Amino acid sequence: MKKSLFITSLIAICMGFVSCGGNSKSADNSESQPIATVTVDEVLANPDSLVGDTIVIDGVCSHLCRHGGKKAFVAGSADSLMLRCEAYPIMGEPFPKTTVGHPIQVTGILREERIDEAAIVKMEKENAERLEKIAAEQGEKSAELASRAADGCDTERAAQGQKDLTAFNDRMADYRARIAERQEKEGKPYLSFYYLDAISYKSQNE
């Protein structure tokens, strides 16, 4: 009787090991599934469904920011279709200058950036403080010239649909008009812009 009970227990333990091993193998297989590669056009066609997901995008690097390659812009099929890729904080290294004008593959997490009235007010306050500082250090004429200068990066303005708007005040007015239009149509009092928190990249120029 004792011998029979021992054998039964041993079989149950062995079955338990097999079962656990099977579950572990299944989990490993699911984790090793490759991430599908998509184009910028495909991402921007339905970005809300991908926010928070890790994706891989393919395209040509059309521009790097002038501040040491912290931002790379991957182009789509039109000037207004491009995705900003942020090198920091996750990737921790800048995009090299050699990637500009060449195909690039970037893996990262898609994020949504929202611009609402509070964000606009904050930008206006920061801009006013900037001009006040210039006036105090360099004079009113310099501050006036600074207020007329092109605001921000040409490529980023194009990505936000403001290619032909360079003045800061014009950009803020455009934001407000578009927010009002979206709120009326969709009930959303903000604009949505999307970017990639880059994890890694591969350049075909290397």
Side-chain angles (χ1 to χ4, degrees):
M1 180 69 179
K2 289 183 179 179
K3 184 177 181 181
S4 175
L5 183 60
F6 173 76
I7 294 172
T8 301
S9 300
L10 185 61
I11 292 171
I13 292 169
C14 290
M15 288 179 68
F17 282 144
V18 171
S19 175
C20 291
N23 289 339
S24 176
K25 186 175 181 181
S26 175
D28 289 343
N29 286 341
S30 65
E31 288 177 5
S32 63
Q33 292 285 338
I35 303 170
T37 302
V38 293
T39 65
V40 171
D41 291 42
E42 289 169 337
V43 173
L44 296 181
N46 190 22
D48 291 336
S49 66
L50 297 171
V51 170
D53 290 350
T54 300
I55 61 175
V56 180
I57 63 165
D58 258 341
V60 173
C61 178
S62 62
H63 177 75
L64 287 183
C65 77
R66 59 181 179 228
H67 302 294
K70 293 179 181 179
K71 300 176 186 179
F73 291 83
V74 180
S77 61
D79 289 345
S80 59
L81 293 174
M82 62 182 76
L83 198 61
R84 186 178 88 236
C85 301
E86 298 275 358
Y88 297 90
I90 300 177
M91 195 165 77
E93 62 176 322
F95 292 97
K97 293 180 180 179
T98 53
T99 59
V100 178
H102 295 277
I104 189 173
Q105 186 179 85
V106 184
T107 301
I109 303 168
L110 190 68
R111 308 291 191 192
E112 178 188 17
E113 177 185 11
R114 295 182 177 183
I115 293 182
D116 56 10
E117 180 60 27
I120 295 172
V121 169
K122 181 181 178 183
M123 285 187 280
E124 289 176 331
K125 181 181 178 182
E126 291 173 349
N127 186 61
E129 290 172 349
R130 178 181 69 89
L131 295 177
E132 287 174 4
K133 184 178 180 181
I134 293 173
E137 295 177 353
Q138 303 173 32
E140 292 292 340
K141 188 174 181 179
S142 294
E144 185 180 351
L145 290 172
S147 68
R148 297 177 185 174
D151 178 62
C153 167
D154 293 347
T155 304
E156 192 155 11
R157 286 200 309 270
Q160 293 187 349
Q162 295 184 330
K163 182 179 179 180
D164 299 323
L165 299 175
T166 57
F168 176 83
N169 290 337
D170 291 342
R171 293 187 67 203
M172 298 304 108
D174 177 68
Y175 284 148
R176 285 192 168 102
R178 289 162 64 187
I179 288 171
E181 183 180 357
R182 190 181 193 195
Q183 184 165 17
E184 184 178 349
K185 289 182 178 179
E186 304 175 36
K188 296 180 179 180
Y190 56 87
L191 298 177
S192 297
F193 299 108
Y194 302 90
Y195 68 96
L196 207 63
D197 257 341
I199 296 171
S200 62
Y201 75 92
K202 292 180 182 178
S203 175
Q204 293 187 20
N205 191 43
E206 293 180 351

